[in-house]
Every structure is written in structure tokens, then in C-alpha cells.
Amino acid sequence: MSSPATAPPAPSNLKRIVAASLIGTTIEWYDFFLYGSAAALVFNKLFFPGSDPLVGTLLSFLTYAVGFAARPLGALVFGHYGDRLGRKRLLVLSLLLMGGATFAIGLLPTHATIGTAAPVLLTVLRLVQGFALGGEWGGAVLLVSEHGDARRRGFWASWPQTGAPAGQLLATGVLSLLTAVLSDAAFQDWGWRIPFLLSGVLVIVGLWIRLSVDESPVFKQALAQAEARTAGRERLPLVSVLRDHWRDVLVAMGARMAENISYYVVTAFILVYATTSAGVSKQTALNAVLIASAVHFAVIPAWGALSDRVGRRPVYLVGAAGVGLWMFPFFALIDTGGFGALLLAVTVGLVLHGAMYAPQAAFFSEMFATRMRYSGASIGAQFASVAAGAPAPLIATALLDAHDSSVPISLYVIAAVVLTVVAVLAAKETRHRDLTEVAPGDGHREPAAVPVPDARRV
């Protein structure tokens, strides 16, 4: 039989924990993606007027990238206290910070009202968003991973990952509705504020659900053992991660490169490319991302379940290789200017991305020991985002401006795929690991398998 720490929890309790993580991550990703969509559609005019349209878009995406710069800091701070105090408290704080910053953006005066102070304030609020999101991801996936049934950890841990497409779906859906019912002038004047202000309502709902769940039993057990062993004298989690799990941090960072870059090219940069190079309307581009995000949401749990059967690495590698092979057809389809071709391009891109994103939660959680898991998973994921997702729309836009071609953008994504494939091939398979038995420094040994009746059953 499984140990108490890894015994399957009551289904109702696990579903409540999954719901709390999913709703919280959905709200936080809604806030984060809303900014990205607004940066592509209106922020260039509202906060950087007078510039060439493409230059204004570059400046707008620069403030978008600033949010990623704050994510490693969020990972360090939230990871440290999450490994010391627990997962739940830090998740509540991250939700409050993200929601508050997003609501404040909805109230922000534009350049026409307060001049250069407007983009400065916008950048500060974007930094707060990035700081909060840097701490959110690790806590949300660990809360589920450490509560969940070890036989189906890939499946259950993939549900917080669906918060990304759900947030994208919600953000794009609200923007698509507003652009459909409002004139361009009305949307640019006041309509863009509505989805940002809506975040205040969503945060209240998220807090109500997130406060109702219990702390991770795996963490509580590890905390009690550590206190008994060290009488409170432990190394800082960051120091422990860099000393005992530095290889796993590098693997996580490498694994994130193709996943992160491809996602922001497919969902954020696409709004620029489709509307400027392919002559597609804003509404059409938003609708394509909207429908594709719904498919993305649906396939992530399926990819997560598959990783429980065949392993995290094979599924991840299929996604990475698939994204690399899809890049040239992706842009060729968009260049046709047809909605069906655009929808196919984005949908296939996101389905392949899901093969990387779904097993990532369980994969990264299984690499690190419990008392440094929040720090390790967060650092590996969020430090990579500075080099990957942060500049991806910016680099893609600059390449388009310099070469007037999608070929350099495709090669850029393929280069990231090569890094990811190398990183994942360098990792050990982790799907049989018992989270209570992952010890410092054993990230590259095969730990004891969790005894289960049928590890393939989902």
C-alpha cells in the first residue's frame, strides 16, 4: 500500500483543491494575458502616441516584457516563504497582488491626460503583476501535486496548467465581445478599461475558494520532520536548491524555452502579425485565438493523463518537436488571410504546446525535495521566462520589422526547440517518484517507485 503521505485523498477533497488552484491560476493568467492582448491592440496608441505604429507596438510590448523581469524576483520571494510557511498563504497573497494591480490598470490615466507619467505607472503595475505571477505558478501546481493521487499526478497537476488557456480564453473572450459591440473609438476611449476592472470581481471569487482548502499534507509532514531534526536551523531554501538541485534547475529552465516562446508567439505576437502582415481584422484574429484557447484547455488534461501512462519526457518531447515542425506551416496558413487557415494554424500550435505544458507541473514538482520544491520549481520556471516568454513578442516583432518575413521568426522558435529537446533528454524520467522520498541531491537518481496497482490506468 502507499504510504500515508502518498495515499490517494478523498475525491471530493482533491476536486476542491484542484478547483481552488485552477480558479486562482485562471484569474491570474486572465490578468496577465489581458495586458498582453491590450498591449497588441490599444496600449501603443494610449500610452505611446506619436510613434510609428510598429514602433509603438514595440514600446507597448516592452512594458509587457517588463512583467516577466519581475517574475524571477517573485519566484525567489514566494518560493522562500512558500517552503518555510506553506503553499496556501502565499497563493492568497499572489492573488491579491495580481488582482489589485490589474484593477489599478483599469483606472490608469493615459498619456493624453498625464503625459509620460502614464507609461511609467503602467510599467510599475506591470512589475507588480509579474512579481505576483512569479510566485503563483509554483504554489498552485505544488498544492495539487502534493495532495494528489500519485498514480494520476500528471493528470491532476495538469489542471492548474489549464488556468493559462482558461485565462487566455476569458481575456480574449471579453476583449472580443467588447470589440464586437463597441466602435473602435469607444473601445479605445473607455471600453478597454472594462476587462481590467472586472478583475476585482474575479479576485473576490478566487479568494473565497482558495481560502477554503487545506495546506499540503506532504509539506506539513516535511516541515514537522525538519523542525524535529534541525530545531529550526535550516539552510535557506534558495541555498539548498542551488547546492543540491542545480542540475534540475537548469533542466527546468531549458525545458521552458520552447514551451514559453512558442506560446507567446502563437497567442500574443499573432495579433500583430495577422493584423499587419496578413491583413486580418482584430476581431477575426481574436476569434481565432479564442476558439483555439478552448481546444487548448481541453487537451491539456489529456496530455497530462498520457504522461502518467508513458512518462513525462516522451510527451514533452513530442510537443517540442511538433512545435518546431509546425512553425513554417503556421505562418504560411496565416498568410492566406482566411479565417479557417488562421484558426487551424493557432489551434494546432496550441495543441502541440499543450504536450509540453501539461506534464510540466508534475515533471518539475517531481524533481525537487519537499522543503525546497516551491523554490526549485519556481526558480526553474520563472528565470527561464525572462529569456523566453518575456522578449518573445518583442523579438518576433523586431524580426518582422527588420526582415518583413516570417522565416526569421520560425527559425527563432526552432532554435528554442533545440534547447528544450537537449534539456529534456538530459533529464531522468520522474513519473514513478514518491514526492515524500525525493531527497536533496538525488534528482539524477531513480528513486523508489510508488507501488500502485496499475500505473497506466487513468
Side-chain angles (χ1 to χ4, degrees), residues 81-153:
Y81 287 104
D83 282 328
R84 287 296 181 93
L85 304 176
R87 301 6 178 164
K88 177 180 173 179
R89 297 180 189 179
L90 276 298
L91 286 174
V92 170
L93 178 59
S94 70
L95 188 60
L96 286 171
L97 285 173
M98 175 67 86
T102 305
F103 187 82
I105 290 174
L107 300 174
L108 195 63
T110 64
H111 189 280
T113 305
I114 60 173
T116 55
V120 172
L121 291 174
L122 181 67
T123 302
V124 170
L125 292 173
R126 182 60 175 171
L127 285 168
V128 175
Q129 280 190 324
F131 179 79
L133 191 60
E136 163 69 22
W137 181 84
V141 300
L142 293 188
L143 196 65
V144 176
S145 294
E146 293 179 344
H147 271 96
D149 180 353
R151 294 172 300 179
R152 304 178 69 190
R153 185 180 296 128

Side-chain angles (χ1 to χ4, degrees), residues 241-258 316 363-364 367-368 375-385 416 418-428 444:
V241 167
L242 296 180
R243 174 177 173 177
D244 300 320
H245 285 284
W246 61 270
R247 291 183 182 85
D248 297 307
V249 169
L250 292 178
V251 166
M253 291 177 66
R256 282 275 282 172
M257 297 304 290
Y316 213 113
F363 190 29
F364 290 6
M367 289 181 183
F368 301 95
S375 295
S378 296
I379 291 169
Q382 303 307 334
F383 272 69
S385 70
V418 172
L419 289 175
T420 290
V421 168
V422 170
V424 175
L425 288 175
K428 294 289 186 180
H444 287 261

Side-chain angles (χ1 to χ4, degrees), residues 291-324:
I291 296 171
S293 293
V295 176
H296 194 211
F297 178 92
V299 301
I300 285 177
W303 284 121
L306 183 62
S307 78
D308 286 325
R309 295 185 177 187
V310 303
R312 318 298 184 212
R313 293 168 73 246
V315 175
Y316 213 113
L317 289 169
V318 165
V323 163

Side-chain angles (χ1 to χ4, degrees), residues 47 53 111 128 143 171 198 201 209 217 224 236 262 276 282 307 338 347 354 363 371 377 389-390 393 402 413-414:
F47 294 93
H111 189 280
V128 175
L143 196 65
L198 179 62
V201 178
I209 296 175
L236 295 176
S262 65
T276 59
K282 291 180 183 178
S307 78
T347 301
F363 190 29
R371 291 287 283 150
V413 176
I414 291 170

Side-chain angles (χ1 to χ4, degrees), residues 139-408:
V141 300
L142 293 188
L143 196 65
V144 176
S145 294
E146 293 179 344
H147 271 96
D149 180 353
R151 294 172 300 179
R152 304 178 69 190
R153 185 180 296 128
F155 171 73
W156 289 117
S158 71
W159 278 101
Q161 300 291 75
T162 65
Q168 179 77 66
L169 187 65
L170 188 58
T172 307
V174 172
L175 285 171
S176 182
L177 176 63
L178 290 171
T179 56
V181 301
L182 297 176
S183 66
D184 286 346
F187 180 76
Q188 186 170 320
D189 186 34
W190 56 270
W192 68 272
R193 297 182 184 275
I194 295 175
F196 287 91
L197 297 176
L198 179 62
S199 179
V201 178
L202 297 177
V203 167
I204 294 173
V205 175
L207 284 175
W208 175 66
I209 296 175
R210 190 161 273 188
L211 287 169
S212 69
V213 302
D214 296 325
E215 181 56 78
S216 154
V218 172
F219 172 79
K220 289 191 287 188
Q221 176 183 322
L223 178 62
Q225 292 173 346
E227 289 178 344
R229 184 174 60 251
T230 65
R233 297 185 300 274
E234 289 186 278
R235 291 197 305 263
L236 295 176
L238 173 60
V239 175
S240 298
V241 167
L242 296 180
R243 174 177 173 177
D244 300 320
H245 285 284
W246 61 270
R247 291 183 182 85
D248 297 307
V249 169
L250 292 178
V251 166
M253 291 177 66
R256 282 275 282 172
M257 297 304 290
E259 178 268 308
N260 218 216
I261 289 173
S262 65
Y263 187 78
Y264 289 104
V265 168
V266 171
T267 60
F269 173 71
I270 188 65
L271 298 177
V272 175
Y273 186 83
T275 55
T276 59
S277 295
V280 176
S281 69
K282 291 180 183 178
Q283 185 66 47
T284 299
L286 284 170
N287 287 343
V289 174
L290 184 69
I291 296 171
S293 293
V295 176
H296 194 211
F297 178 92
V299 301
I300 285 177
W303 284 121
L306 183 62
S307 78
D308 286 325
R309 295 185 177 187
V310 303
R312 318 298 184 212
R313 293 168 73 246
V315 175
Y316 213 113
L317 289 169
V318 165
V323 163
L325 292 172
W326 185 243
M327 275 300 101
F328 285 109
F330 173 79
F331 285 108
L333 286 168
I334 297 171
D335 288 338
T336 66
F339 176 74
L342 174 63
L343 178 60
L344 177 63
V346 180
T347 301
V348 173
L350 287 181
V351 168
L352 293 170
H353 171 270
M356 293 183 282
Y357 200 54
Q360 190 178 95
F363 190 29
F364 290 6
S365 297
E366 291 158 349
M367 289 181 183
F368 301 95
T370 301
R371 291 287 283 150
M372 59 190 80
R373 184 169 292 134
Y374 201 144
S375 295
S378 296
I379 291 169
Q382 303 307 334
F383 272 69
S385 70
V386 176
L394 190 66
I395 291 173
T397 303
L399 289 172
L400 179 63
D401 186 35
H403 301 281
D404 194 27
S405 169
S406 63
V407 172

